[in-house]
Amino acid sequence: MNKEFWEIRPETSESEINEMIEKVAKFIAERHLAPAGILLFESVRPLHGIGSQALFFILPVAEIIFDSKKYQQFAIMMEDENNIKKLIKRMDELDEIYTRERRQENKLKKQHRKAKRKAFYHKIFKRKNKTA
């Protein structure tokens, strides 16, 4: 590649890439879209080079919505297949964590509703027995 391209291309360190992977994985997993995200990134993984270049192609439009430097760093991150694998793995891990927490919360809510219903019925039938 020509020298000018490398001069304007933003540098990304390993820590920035890991931070970006964490942010993207957390963003997707918190919205319960991890299975769809994993499917998307698994399907894009064989074409990671072309996908990365496509991200650069739509850069002028994407700059309207996203920060240009961060977007370019994300596109650079997508060039490496290992980064995509790390992203998929992290999304899967976070999805398991959030699903476990959500199930625990739902279990506690169910137990709370059951206890309230039981107390309500106990209160109703207790009064009827006293009057009879």
Side-chain angles (χ1 to χ4, degrees):
M1 299 200 166
N2 68 25
K3 188 176 180 181
E4 294 174 10
F5 173 75
W6 291 107
E7 290 175 3
I8 62 171
R9 185 177 173 155
E11 294 294 322
T12 55
S13 66
E14 192 66 30
S15 63
E16 289 175 331
I17 288 173
N18 290 335
E19 181 182 324
M20 198 175 315
I21 287 172
E22 185 67 28
K23 280 184 179 180
V24 171
K26 192 172 184 179
F27 179 84
I28 292 171
E30 282 178 344
R31 285 153 182 79
H32 311 297
L33 295 173
I38 291 170
L39 180 67
L40 172 72
F41 285 110
E42 280 287 348
S43 64
V44 172
R45 193 177 61 163
L47 303 171
H48 60 88
I50 296 170
S52 174
Q53 294 305 311
L55 289 172
F56 280 113
F57 180 74
I58 62 171
L59 177 65
V61 176
E63 284 180 336
I64 297 170
I65 301 170
F66 304 109
D67 178 32
S68 178
K69 184 179 178 187
K70 292 287 185 187
Y71 183 83
Q72 289 178 27
Q73 287 176 337
F74 180 75
I76 292 169
M77 180 192 81
M78 295 298 288
E79 284 181 355
D80 188 7
E81 187 175 3
N82 292 328
N83 291 334
I84 296 173
K85 289 179 182 178
K86 287 180 194 176
L87 177 62
I88 292 168
K89 182 180 176 188
R90 188 62 185 148
M91 278 192 297
D92 190 31
E93 291 169 354
L94 288 174
D95 184 48
E96 287 180 23
I97 292 169
Y98 290 140
T99 301
R100 191 177 318 119
E101 289 174 359
R102 192 172 60 240
R103 285 182 180 163
Q104 186 72 20
E105 288 173 7
N106 288 341
K107 186 177 179 181
L108 290 174
K109 286 180 184 177
K110 185 177 178 181
Q111 288 174 349
H112 182 68
R113 285 192 307 262
K114 186 176 179 180
K116 283 177 72 174
R117 190 171 47 243
K118 187 176 179 180
F120 175 73
Y121 288 133
H122 182 63
K123 182 179 176 183
I124 290 174
F125 291 121
K126 188 176 181 182
R127 284 188 181 169
K128 285 186 177 180
N129 288 340
K130 286 184 179 180
T131 58

